[in-house]
């Protein structure tokens, strides 16, 4: 029975509950604790079978002036009808919704109501935070936080389509009650995903919507709960049916209002999110489930706007397309890649210079578009860079011996028919630093689009777990083809393929576990779990489980966590710095030790390499240390190699007599007075640098002082022209005594090449042309653009001209070498193979300069180096105004001083390359300009920079 309310009610919170008596009081208490006083609570029980309604009645009896409780006569099957009933019983001017297993932030009602009254909004929405209650630290995830970065008010939801399609919760919002009543806004009855329909109607009906950046709602996620929530029961077909029905109703609503653009945004979200949630479950379901699922999905996908496919990730679009086609043979591998992003699950197909997910459906123009995965760069990966799908096709167990067979995807024939193949299976404990065991694979065979294997593994004898601590064991197959290794995970081909128990002998005790049982991980990979088979063992496991929850267990867990935290602290950046300052920096400096680094350890290149090789050429006696950031391949074998930021790296720097690099050693490392830092730098400046950058000028004096201390570590700074003195040296606030006017050691080879060419009249291409397969009758162009901060689609650098058009028009006369900035990554389509070559992986750019007959660049400092060869340069500045005026600015106007044509469009660029003689004509036309350019920007590049540096600092080591 309703009670009268004396205090005006500003907010009515409708709390719905079903079989959740235990958590209901916590949810209600979060409303009672609100800092806003005019709040009432309406509890609606959906005919629970536990004591939920009794609990609600007791809460109402305890707070009769604030709480009322109601019960539906029969269970409605979802959360919509209880909320509808609750709305009918509310008396507040505004309404909120709360689920019994969630809570409100303490100031939620106050913050939402203040915004509603200030802006006169029908809906006010705040930030929802998902808390994973099953995790120790209750992992927090903010619900689409970019929508709530700041307070803003919308006159229509069409102003912010992302709000309509992404924040579909009803619970993190405050609604004006009259708004709900006047628009007859109610939740669909007996339907899952009722929020989606309700909030869609509410958004479209609202005259004004306000978003606030405050946290208002804490969504408690219980993934391990015995009674699964709707979001944790996506494998149920009814769940998918309801989702599609709700989407159909929303589509009809949008169509009736002519909101086609908003529908497109919703279709994109469906492909990117809603469908993906269900697709990931398909590998675990049987054929009948899959067929029913495909039938339901196919009908709905037929109405999706095809433009949506181009706006989602390739694998998402591929899965949707193949599902609509009912192509399970290609779909299930695609779902594997959807779940395991970097996995290559299909053999792929190359047609007309493009790479496709499969060879089927290419006669359908839309299918051809969707299945094109050229931009993902699979074709440019080496075998050791690939994560390949490995389907477990056979599994038999007998007396502890497991016979397994599998099929590994062979994309684009990366493993050739004549390759020497070997393989081994690795069983490794999932916990780090614990043991692993390897077993040989008896048969490995090339079979075209796949590599098949068979193995017989005696796990009973060959695998000895510790027991208790190593409960889960992952399985990997290592495939080696012609000495190149790749690792794969095993994916069962059908549900229930791997079953049974295998006896094992744990080293610690067999009381807790004595068998291995196969299981499939959430990502679809085969693993094994330690279990016990007999009833007594089960009782012991129960005792252990209870023990771990009691005081001894808490003490053990606490000790483990402290040890884990200590290990993490010891390897953290702060601890490494402390070790560097307090331990390594107190060790004696090692005379004759030089630490070299190029481009933050990413390359063995540039002036540090030239100095190092000159020291070796002179036969000096010294200890060389080279830093590397990725893999050590390509770095000199006659030097000590240390991984950047490792403890050996920090120790080497602390004890070195010399540091030589071209960018910067870690900024927080203090250089000892006994160490000499030779900074070679990596290019003259067109773009404003250091303290000349607008962003640096805006920083606080403390930040600027800190940066200046870092730059003061340089004892010598190599200069190649007085332009560097006026720009780089000034911008970095370097003192005159630090400057070393010797030129760049990396450019010595270019100066010598120019002299040799002038003397002989012959241009030597060098061995690189043959290595790259460039015919003698082709001229070579090098395209080397500057760094681009914003990547293109899929985060890759997209060439600013049509590379296929280039290959078509000029491939018979030119070979284009593309060298992206070392911080960018480019993917070339197979269609340009042999005519356009990606040379970005070459550490040293100097041989590329020497090979190229002409250079195409933009604002990159490569212009200053390549000019030393006195060869044609073309400047493709397609974004000149944006780069110069909206970026950090330049020291001079490139259009005025460029020693070659400055081109703004693709047509202008291609026009400059139209005839074989164009480069020769340009060479003559801009010869004087190139001479002036070199005189101004490379006056100290005389070909002896490396020798000069070595003679000044290292020559005394020759007598050792």
């Amino acid at each position: 029975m309703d009670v009268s309310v004396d205090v005006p009610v500003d907010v009515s919170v409708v709390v719905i509950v079903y079989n959740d008596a235990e958590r209901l009081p916590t949810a209600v208490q979060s409303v009672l604790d609100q800092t806003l006083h005019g709040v009432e609570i309406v509890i609606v029980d959906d005919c629970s079978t536990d004591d939920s309604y009794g609990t609600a009645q007791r809460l109402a009896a305890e707070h009769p002036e604030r709480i009322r409780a109601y019960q539906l006569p029969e269970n409605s099957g979802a959360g919509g009808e209880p909320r509808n009933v609750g709305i009918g019983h509310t008396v507040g001017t505004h309404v909120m919704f709360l689920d019994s297993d969630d809570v409100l932030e303490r100031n939620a009602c106050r913050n939402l109501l203040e915004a509603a009254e200030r802006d006169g909004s029908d809906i006010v929405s705040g930030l929802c935070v998902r808390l994973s209650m099953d995790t120790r630290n209750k992992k927090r995830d903010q619900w689409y936080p970019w929508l709530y970065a700041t307070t803003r008010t919308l006159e229509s939801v069409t102003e912010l389509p992302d709000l309509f399609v992404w924040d579909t919760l009803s619970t993190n919002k405050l609604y004006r009650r009259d708004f709900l009543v006047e628009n007859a806004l109610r939740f669909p009855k007996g339907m899952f995903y009722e929020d989606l329909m309700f909030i869609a109607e509410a958004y479209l009906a609202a005259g004004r919507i306000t978003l606030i950046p405050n946290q208002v709602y804490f969504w408690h996620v219980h993934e391990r709960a015995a009674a699964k929530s709707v979001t944790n029961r996506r494998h149920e077909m009814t769940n998918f049916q309801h989702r599609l029905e709700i989407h159909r109703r929303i589509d009809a609503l949008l169509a009736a209002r002519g909101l086609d653009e908003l529908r497109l945004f919703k279709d994109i979200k469906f492909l990117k999110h809603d469908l993906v949630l269900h697709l990931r479950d398909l590998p675990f379901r049987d054929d009948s489930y899959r067929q029913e699922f495909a039938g339901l999905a196919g009908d709905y996908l037929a109405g999706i706007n095809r433009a949506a496919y181009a706006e989602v990730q390739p694998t998402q679009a591929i899965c949707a397309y193949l599902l609509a086609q009912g192509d399970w043979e290609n779909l299930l591998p695609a779902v594997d890649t959807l779940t395991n992003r970097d996995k290559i699950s299909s053999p792929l197909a190359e047609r007309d210079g493009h790479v496709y997910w499969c060879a089927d459906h290419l006669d359908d123009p839309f299918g051809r578009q969707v299945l094109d995965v050229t931009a993902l760069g699979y074709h440019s990966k080496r075998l050791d860079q690939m994560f390949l799908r490995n389907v477990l096709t056979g599994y038999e167990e007998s007396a502890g011996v497991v016979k397994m067979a599998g099929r590994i995807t062979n994309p684009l024939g990366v493993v050739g028919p004549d390759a020497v193949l070997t393989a081994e299976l690795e069983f490794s404990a999932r916990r780090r630093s614990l043991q692993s065991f390897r077993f040989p694979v008896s048969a490995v065979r090339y079979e075209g689009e796949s590599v098949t294997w068979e193995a017989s593994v005696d796990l009973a004898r060959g695998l000895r777990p510790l027991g208790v601590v190593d409960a889960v064991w992952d399985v990997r197959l290592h495939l080696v083809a012609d000495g190149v290794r790749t690792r794969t995970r095993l994916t069962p081909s059908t549900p229930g393929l791997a079953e049974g128990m295998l006896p094992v002998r744990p080293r610690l005790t067999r009381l807790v576990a004595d068998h291995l049982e196969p299981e499939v991980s959430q990502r679809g990979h085969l693993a094994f779990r330690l279990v016990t088979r007999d009833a007594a063992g089960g009782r012991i496991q129960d005792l252990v489980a209870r023990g771990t929850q009691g005081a001894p267990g808490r003490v053990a867990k606490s000790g483990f966590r402290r040890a884990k935290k200590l290990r993490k602290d010891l390897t953290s950046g702060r601890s490494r710095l402390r070790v560097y300052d307090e331990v390594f920096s107190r060790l004696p400096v090692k005379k004759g030790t030089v630490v070299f680094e190029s481009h933050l350890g990413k390359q063995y290149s540039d002036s540090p390499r030239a100095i190092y090789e000159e020291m070796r050429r002179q036969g000096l006696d010294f200890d060389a240390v080279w830093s590397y950031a990725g893999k050590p391949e390509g770095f000199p074998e006659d030097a000590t190699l240390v991984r950047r930021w490792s403890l050996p790296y920090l120790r080497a720097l602390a004890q070195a007599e010399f540091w030589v690099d071209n960018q910067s050693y870690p900024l927080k490392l203090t250089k000892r007075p006994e160490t000499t830092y030779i900074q070679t730098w990596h290019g003259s400046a067109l773009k404003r640098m250091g303290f000349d950058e607008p962003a640096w000028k805006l920083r606080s004096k403390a930040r600027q002082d800190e940066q200046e201390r870092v730059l003061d570590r340089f004892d010598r700074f190599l200069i190649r022209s007085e332009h560097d003195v006026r720009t780089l040296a000034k911008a970095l606030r370097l003192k005159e005594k630090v400057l070393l006017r010797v030129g760049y050691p990396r450019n010595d080879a270019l100066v010598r090449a120019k002299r040799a060419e002038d003397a002989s009249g012959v241009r030597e291409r060098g061995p690189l042309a043959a290595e790259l397969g460039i015919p003698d009758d082709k001229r070579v162009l090098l395209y080397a653009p500057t760094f681009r901060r914003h990547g293109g689609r899929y985060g890759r650098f997209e060439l600013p001209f049509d590379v296929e058009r280039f290959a078509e028009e000029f491939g018979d006369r030119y070979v284009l070498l593309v060298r992206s900035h070392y911080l960018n990554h480019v993917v070339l389509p197979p269609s340009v193979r042999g005519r356009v070559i990606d040379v970005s992986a070459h550490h040293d750019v100097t041989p590329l300069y020497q090979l190229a007959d002409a250079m195409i660049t933009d604002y990159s400092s490569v212009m200053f180096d390549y000019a030393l060869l006195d060869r044609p340069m073309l400047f493709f500045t397609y974004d000149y105004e944006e780069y110069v005026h909206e970026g950090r600015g330049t020291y001079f106007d490139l259009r005025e001083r460029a020693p070659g044509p400055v081109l703004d469009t693709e047509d202008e660029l291609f026009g400059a390359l139209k005839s074989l003689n164009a480069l020769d004509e340009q060479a003559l036309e801009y010869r004087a300009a190139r001479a002036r350019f070199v005189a101004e920007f490379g006056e100290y590049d005389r070909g002896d920079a490396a020798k000069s540096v070595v003679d000044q600092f290292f020559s005394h080591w020759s007598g050792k």
Side-chain angles (χ1 to χ4, degrees):
M1 179 176 178
D2 290 355
V3 298
S4 61
V5 181
D6 297 330
V7 178
V9 177
D10 295 311
V11 178
S12 297
V13 180
V14 176
V15 182
I16 64 170
V17 61
Y18 176 69
N19 286 353
D20 199 16
E22 182 179 349
R23 290 179 294 202
L24 176 62
T26 302
V28 170
Q29 191 63 46
S30 75
V31 185
L32 293 173
D33 291 341
Q34 288 294 299
T35 55
L36 181 71
H37 295 300
V39 180
E40 72 158 356
I41 304 169
V42 177
I43 305 175
V44 182
D45 173 60
D46 197 6
C47 198
S48 297
T49 59
D50 71 350
D51 191 37
S52 292
Y53 185 53
T55 302
Q57 289 178 310
R58 286 190 289 274
L59 290 169
E62 293 170 8
H63 305 275
E65 74 289 353
R66 299 192 64 185
I67 302 176
R68 286 169 287 138
Y70 306 90
Q71 186 180 44
L72 271 63
E74 60 181 9
N75 180 253
S76 68
E81 186 62 11
R83 290 192 184 124
N84 293 336
V85 171
I87 293 172
H89 289 289
T90 59
V91 298
T93 59
H94 292 80
V95 176
M96 287 189 71
F97 303 107
L98 174 65
D99 291 346
S100 60
D101 54 347
D102 300 331
V103 296
L104 294 182
E105 194 276 336
R106 190 165 180 266
N107 299 293
C109 292
R110 177 181 297 279
N111 289 332
L112 291 167
L113 181 64
E114 286 179 353
E117 293 179 338
R118 180 189 67 234
D119 300 326
S121 297
D122 295 323
I123 302 173
V124 181
S125 187
L127 187 61
C128 172
V129 179
R130 295 175 83 249
L131 297 176
S132 298
M133 306 303 288
D134 298 331
T135 61
R136 180 170 58 87
N137 296 319
K138 293 183 173 58
K139 180 184 174 184
R140 299 166 62 94
D141 290 308
Q142 294 183 337
W143 189 256
Y144 305 117
W146 78 84
L147 296 170
Y148 298 95
T150 184
T151 299
R152 55 178 158 178
T153 298
L154 310 172
E155 300 299 328
S156 168
V157 74
T158 57
E159 297 175 23
L160 186 61
D162 276 358
L163 178 64
F164 182 86
V165 301
W166 290 109
D167 187 359
T168 56
L169 299 177
S170 65
T171 49
N172 60 332
K173 297 170 179 64
L174 179 82
Y175 309 87
R176 188 168 58 84
R177 188 179 186 278
D178 287 346
F179 162 71
L180 297 179
V181 174
E182 291 164 3
N183 290 279
L185 291 171
R186 293 293 186 270
F187 292 85
K189 182 178 179 179
M191 295 285 294
F192 297 152
Y193 305 108
E194 67 280 353
D195 276 23
L196 275 69
M197 188 68 204
F198 173 83
I199 202 60
E201 291 183 314
Y203 278 147
L204 293 174
R208 183 171 290 175
I209 303 169
T210 294
L211 309 181
I212 62 174
N214 310 76
Q215 295 180 2
V216 299
Y217 194 90
F218 295 107
W219 176 3
H220 292 173
V221 180
H222 302 269
E223 293 184 356
R224 299 176 189 169
K228 300 295 184 182
S229 66
V230 172
T231 54
N232 288 327
R233 305 203 312 268
R234 283 189 287 266
H235 61 282
E236 296 177 1
M237 191 60 67
T238 302
N239 191 302
F240 187 54
Q241 290 172 334
H242 285 201
R243 186 189 289 273
L244 291 183
E245 176 58 26
I246 291 292
H247 273 275
R248 287 190 180 94
R249 295 183 186 186
I250 297 174
D251 293 342
L253 184 67
L254 294 173
R257 294 174 178 247
L259 296 173
D260 294 339
E261 184 176 359
L262 207 55
R263 167 70 192 272
L264 173 60
F265 278 96
K266 195 193 75 69
D267 285 348
I268 293 170
K269 188 251 188 177
F270 180 82
L271 296 180
K272 183 181 291 187
H273 175 75
D274 298 76
L275 184 61
V276 167
L277 293 174
H278 294 272
L279 283 171
R280 287 176 174 159
D281 195 56
L282 288 182
F284 304 94
R285 305 297 149 208
D286 59 24
D287 187 62
S288 62
Y289 178 97
R290 295 172 184 172
Q291 294 303 324
E292 185 178 359
F293 180 87
L296 292 170
D299 290 341
Y300 185 75
L301 288 171
I304 291 281
N305 189 332
R306 287 190 167 185
Y309 285 77
E311 302 302 323
V312 301
Q313 291 294 319
T315 311
Q316 295 167 349
I318 289 168
C319 286
Y321 176 81
L322 294 173
L323 178 62
Q325 302 299 315
D327 183 353
W328 290 100
E329 183 177 351
N330 290 307
L331 172 59
L332 289 176
V335 171
D336 197 359
T337 294
L338 190 69
T339 305
N340 301 278
R341 186 179 58 180
D342 297 324
K343 185 182 288 190
I344 305 177
S345 302
S346 169
L348 309 176
E350 185 178 333
R351 299 287 188 277
D352 304 320
H354 284 245
V355 176
Y356 298 93
W357 181 256
C358 59
D360 302 307
H361 314 292
L362 300 185
D363 55 342
D364 173 10
F366 180 62
R368 198 176 186 91
Q369 172 190 327
V370 171
L371 297 170
D372 191 334
V373 292
T374 308
L376 296 182
Y378 291 145
H379 59 280
S380 62
K381 291 181 179 291
R382 304 188 309 267
L383 178 63
D384 59 343
Q385 297 173 321
M386 292 180 170
F387 176 24
L388 300 177
R389 174 174 165 90
N390 186 350
V391 178
L392 184 68
T393 56
Y395 183 96
E396 295 180 8
E397 179 270 326
S398 177
V401 177
V402 179
K403 292 183 178 180
M404 290 187 280
R407 182 177 65 251
I408 303 171
T409 299
N410 184 21
L412 300 175
V414 66
V415 175
D418 299 323
V420 177
L421 303 176
T422 59
E424 59 183 356
L425 283 167
E426 177 189 53
F427 289 72
S428 57
R430 186 168 291 177
R431 283 191 177 178
R432 293 181 182 176
S433 78
L434 293 176
Q435 56 188 346
S436 64
F437 298 89
R438 294 195 178 189
F439 302 88
V441 172
S442 57
V444 191
R445 292 181 294 272
Y446 168 87
E447 294 190 6
E449 292 188 341
S450 63
V451 173
T452 60
W453 58 272
E454 296 172 4
S456 182
V457 181
D458 190 347
L459 289 179
R461 297 187 180 187
L463 192 148
R464 293 296 307 277
L466 295 173
V468 183
V469 293
D470 49 358
V472 181
W473 290 76
D474 292 313
V475 189
R476 293 174 176 84
L477 184 139
H478 294 249
L479 174 69
V480 180
D482 289 336
V484 180
R485 178 182 296 266
T486 188
R487 294 199 313 172
T488 68
R489 300 294 300 269
L490 275 58
T491 302
S493 57
T494 57
L497 174 65
E499 293 182 338
M501 287 192 178
L502 302 116
V504 290
R505 294 177 297 165
R507 296 174 188 270
L508 296 180
T509 175
R510 298 188 204 178
L511 294 176
V512 175
D514 58 4
H515 281 75
L516 281 173
E517 184 175 30
E519 65 178 25
V520 180
S521 71
Q522 288 185 337
R523 292 187 174 272
H525 297 141
L526 179 67
F528 288 84
R529 181 176 294 276
L530 276 173
V531 296
T532 187
R533 190 168 189 172
D534 56 61
R539 290 195 295 272
I540 293 173
Q541 282 185 318
D542 291 339
L543 289 173
V544 172
R546 288 197 292 271
T548 59
Q549 302 302 321
R554 287 194 294 272
V555 171
K557 289 179 181 178
S558 176
F560 174 76
R561 289 167 187 157
R562 284 197 300 270
K564 187 176 180 180
K565 183 177 185 300
L566 177 62
R567 178 180 177 182
K568 182 178 180 180
D569 290 343
L570 289 175
T571 57
S572 68
R574 182 178 299 177
S575 295
R576 289 172 189 264
L577 285 174
R578 190 162 60 246
V579 171
Y580 176 85
D581 291 330
E582 299 176 9
V583 180
F584 293 157
S585 292
R586 296 181 181 181
L587 298 173
V589 168
K590 291 184 177 180
K591 294 294 184 180
T593 299
V594 187
V595 179
F596 297 89
E597 185 172 286
S598 177
H599 293 305
L600 307 179
K602 292 182 173 65
Q603 298 178 355
Y604 170 58
S605 66
D606 211 75
S607 292
R609 173 177 180 170
I611 294 172
Y612 170 76
E613 291 180 350
E614 176 64 19
M615 294 173 71
R616 289 299 190 201
R617 189 189 67 79
Q618 292 189 22
L620 303 185
D621 185 7
F622 68 104
D623 293 326
V625 178
W626 266 94
S627 153
Y628 68 94
K631 294 183 179 180
E633 285 81 1
F635 286 82
E637 296 180 359
D638 56 355
T640 299
L641 305 183
V642 292
R643 184 183 295 277
R644 200 172 196 268
W645 263 116
S646 66
L647 291 178
Y649 170 81
L650 296 177
R651 177 167 182 165
L653 285 174
Q655 293 191 272
E657 186 177 358
F658 286 91
W659 293 358
V660 179
D661 98 308
N662 67 349
Q663 197 155 338
S664 178
Y665 286 107
L667 302 182
K668 295 185 179 180
L669 298 185
T670 303
K671 182 185 71 67
R672 298 171 69 172
E674 305 96 316
T675 301
T676 299
Y677 190 166
I678 301 175
Q679 174 56 254
T680 71
W681 206 241
H682 50 275
S684 296
L686 166 63
K687 304 175 287 289
R688 292 191 177 274
M689 303 289 294
F691 292 100
D692 287 345
E693 294 183 50
W696 270 106
K697 292 179 179 180
L698 296 175
R699 295 186 182 182
S700 66
K701 185 178 184 302
R703 290 287 307 277
Q704 293 192 25
D705 290 345
E706 180 183 358
Q707 182 67 13
E708 192 161 356
R709 283 192 294 272
V710 169
L711 298 171
D712 284 344
R713 296 183 302 175
F714 302 159
D715 296 297
R716 290 291 187 271
F717 188 90
L718 271 56
I719 294 295
R720 61 183 304 203
S721 70
E722 289 305 307
H723 168 77
D724 290 354
V725 177
R726 296 188 298 271
T727 56
L728 276 173
K730 176 176 173 293
L732 301 179
R733 298 181 181 176
L734 301 177
K735 299 178 177 62
E736 173 64 30
K737 66 179 182 179
V738 173
L739 307 182
L740 196 62
R741 293 171 169 82
V742 295
Y744 283 170
R746 72 182 186 196
N747 287 339
D748 291 347
L750 300 179
V751 175
R752 291 194 296 267
K754 176 64 170 61
R755 289 173 183 166
E757 186 177 327
D758 289 344
S760 66
V762 177
R763 180 177 301 175
E764 294 292 341
R765 281 189 160 190
L768 185 57
E771 179 185 330
L772 296 174
I774 299 176
D776 293 338
D777 62 343
K778 296 284 185 69
R779 304 190 77 168
V780 179
L781 305 176
L782 175 62
Y783 177 52
T786 193
F787 170 67
R788 289 299 194 279
R789 184 171 301 279
H790 303 292
R793 198 177 184 202
Y794 322 129
R796 291 181 168 85
F797 172 63
E798 293 184 352
L799 294 178
F801 56 88
D802 188 339
V803 69
E804 290 182 296
R805 178 187 169 192
F806 175 92
E808 183 67 25
E809 293 191 22
F810 303 107
D812 61 341
R813 64 196 81 174
Y814 299 136
V815 171
L816 178 66
L817 307 181
V818 177
R819 190 177 196 271
S820 63
H821 189 278
Y822 70 93
L823 293 176
N824 290 137
H825 177 60
V826 68
V827 172
L828 298 175
S831 58
V832 301
R833 190 181 288 124
R835 295 171 291 177
V836 184
I837 304 173
D838 181 11
V839 292
S840 304
H842 286 252
H843 280 201
D844 193 357
V845 71
T846 300
L848 298 171
Y849 290 151
Q850 293 175 266
L851 175 59
D853 296 294
M855 161 85 78
I856 305 171
T857 187
D858 44 19
Y859 321 98
S860 173
S861 63
V862 299
M863 68 176 78
F864 302 109
D865 301 329
Y866 191 77
L868 297 171
L869 291 169
D870 191 27
R871 298 177 191 171
M873 286 189 284
L874 297 88
F875 296 85
F876 185 35
T877 57
Y878 58 94
D879 56 353
Y880 187 85
E881 295 299 326
E882 176 186 352
Y883 194 89
V884 172
H885 299 299
E886 297 180 22
R888 64 195 193 199
T890 59
Y891 286 114
F892 61 88
D893 189 340
L894 180 63
R895 294 183 185 276
E896 293 180 359
R897 300 201 204 179
V902 179
L903 312 163
D904 294 328
T905 67
E906 178 179 300
D907 287 340
E908 290 180 5
L909 173 63
F910 288 6
L913 300 173
K914 278 204 170 175
S915 73
L916 284 171
N917 296 325
L919 296 181
D920 300 324
E921 293 169 4
Q922 197 230 94
L924 294 172
E925 181 182 353
Y926 287 92
R927 176 167 291 174
R930 287 198 299 274
R932 290 193 300 271
F933 198 77
V934 171
E936 182 173 3
F937 300 109
E939 59 188 299
Y940 300 130
D941 281 324
R942 306 185 185 97
D944 61 352
K947 185 176 185 304
S948 178
V949 171
V950 172
D951 289 347
Q952 290 186 56
F953 297 97
F954 308 114
S955 60
H956 60 285
W957 290 342
S958 60
K960 288 187 178 181

